[in-house]
Amino acid sequence: QLQLVESGGGLVQPGGSLRLSCAASGFTLDNYAIGWFRQAPGKEREGVSCISRSGGSTTYADSVKGRFTISRDNAKNTVYLQMNSLKPEDTAVYYCAAQYRVLVVAMCAGSNGVDYWGKGTLVTVSS
């Protein structure tokens, strides 16, 4: 089965941190750009952060710059999103996505070309 599986979500207080993981099952991620998207209640899905297949190029939404860091470990077939200084506005379901042969700036700007989607992990930032 070809799957992306997210983990690491949960409830955290404002100012806290979480690390999300996205692990591939049934295929390898090294030929794919990877993105983290999120969808909050009442909002459209947005690109949070994307990373090139080599890990050498990354993009971040303005709302998370300086607080979130995306990384990948192709040897482990896993991508991470380190989220620090979390705010209530970060509350959303976070989805991992993989796309073949795409620039990260294009991937995070739109998701029509995504090849694989995870089912999402819920992040709730609340006191």
Side-chain angles (χ1 to χ4, degrees), residues 51-58 72 104:
I51 188 168
S52 64
R53 63 181 185 178
S54 68
S57 182
T58 59
R72 66 189 299 165
V104 293

Side-chain angles (χ1 to χ4, degrees), residues 26-62:
F27 72 106
T28 57
L29 292 176
D30 57 355
N31 287 323
Y32 294 82
I34 307 297
W36 285 98
F37 296 79
R38 69 184 181 187
Q39 188 162 22
K43 294 185 177 181
E44 296 182 352
R45 183 176 60 201
E46 65 172 333
V48 177
S49 181
C50 293
I51 188 168
S52 64
R53 63 181 185 178
S54 68
S57 182
T58 59
T59 62
Y60 297 92
D62 289 341

